Amino acid sequence: MKPNLNNVSLKVSAGLPKQFPADRLPQTAFSGRSNVGKSSLINSLLGRKSLARVSGEPGKTITLNFYDIDRKMYLVDLPGYGYAKRTFEDKQKWSALTDGYFTNNKNIDSVKLICQLVDSRTGPTEDDYNMLYYMREAGLPHILVATKTDKLNATERNKFLEIIADDELTADLPLILYSAKTNAGREDLWRQIYSHCNL
């Protein structure tokens, strides 16, 4: 049975792997660089305005946020990467926390899907490709979600699609074009999440 999206809460903001939830609910994680629009997308998915905090300063948040969706699953907001002004110590903290989610997670089998977010206006960055390569090599189930697609004209949209189609890391991945502003792609993304989580 699909979850009730009116029954949603922030379970925990984890700063250490030991703070990850101990239960075995299926998880869908969202990965992407700082300012790619993860929080806005999660709010759009859940039909909320401010459940996921949209940071005014990219790269400021270094926690891993677990959103409890009707006690049937978690949406997991991974901390954003690639923010140039982040200190060396903060970059180490980000690496340790994100790496811990994939390599020091007692419930890694509960991670059913990773949504790799890419800004449709710029295409994948080197950091995005690094994440995609890691997920492929680790055998982690993942799809590509293009954010901010409402800002593209037809020519820009086609150029983005060509970039995705021409790269071996992205060509065969399911791709969802998403706009948090208009909710375009929302139903398609939920279908992917429900399918992977067997809901």
Side-chain angles (χ1 to χ4, degrees):
M1 182 179 295
K2 294 180 180 179
N4 175 9
L5 298 184
N6 292 316
N7 185 22
V8 175
S9 63
L10 175 62
K11 174 77 171 182
V12 65
S13 289
L16 297 168
K18 66 181 181 181
Q19 296 172 323
F20 297 167
D23 54 37
R24 310 271 314 165
L25 293 179
Q27 299 179 16
T28 294
F30 295 82
S31 168
R33 68 175 179 81
S34 298
N35 206 31
V36 74
K38 279 193 286 86
S39 296
S40 296
L41 183 143
I42 291 172
N43 284 329
S44 166
L45 265 181
L46 297 176
R48 305 296 180 89
K49 290 185 177 180
S50 58
L51 179 66
R53 295 184 292 276
V54 179
S55 177
E57 180 182 343
K60 183 177 181 181
T61 303
I62 309 181
T63 57
L64 209 151
N65 298 322
F66 290 80
Y67 296 95
D68 181 335
I69 313 300
D70 196 32
R71 295 307 300 151
K72 290 184 172 65
M73 64 175 293
Y74 287 117
L75 296 186
V76 186
D77 185 2
L78 301 178
Y81 53 76
Y83 185 54
K85 294 183 180 180
R86 182 173 284 164
T87 66
F88 176 74
E89 290 78 12
D90 280 350
K91 288 178 181 178
Q92 283 187 312
K93 182 178 179 182
W94 177 89
S95 296
L97 183 60
T98 304
D99 185 67
Y101 182 70
F102 295 119
T103 64
N104 190 28
N105 185 350
K106 291 182 290 186
N107 289 334
I108 188 63
D109 290 343
S110 295
V111 181
K112 303 302 183 182
L113 178 64
I114 301 165
C115 300
Q116 177 61 42
L117 274 56
V118 173
D119 192 326
S120 64
R121 301 171 301 175
T122 61
T125 65
E126 182 178 356
D127 288 326
D128 294 330
Y129 283 124
N130 288 339
M131 285 296 296
L132 287 164
Y133 180 79
Y134 172 79
M135 287 186 284
R136 186 182 72 176
E137 293 303 297
L140 296 166
H142 59 286
I143 64 172
L144 199 65
V145 181
T147 62
K148 308 179 183 181
T149 57
D150 57 282
K151 300 181 183 296
L152 302 182
N153 59 36
T155 300
E156 292 167 335
R157 184 187 182 102
N158 289 335
K159 181 180 179 181
F160 172 78
L161 292 174
E162 286 177 8
I163 291 172
I164 298 305
D166 287 343
D167 191 277
E168 64 160 341
L169 283 173
T170 55
D172 295 328
L173 286 179
L175 170 65
I176 294 175
L177 302 178
Y178 203 101
S179 167
K181 184 176 181 179
T182 67
N183 289 332
R186 183 176 186 265
E187 295 305 316
D188 290 337
L189 184 49
W190 271 124
R191 274 193 287 273
Q192 286 281 347
I193 292 171
Y194 290 152
S195 176
H196 281 82
C197 293
N198 294 317
L199 293 174

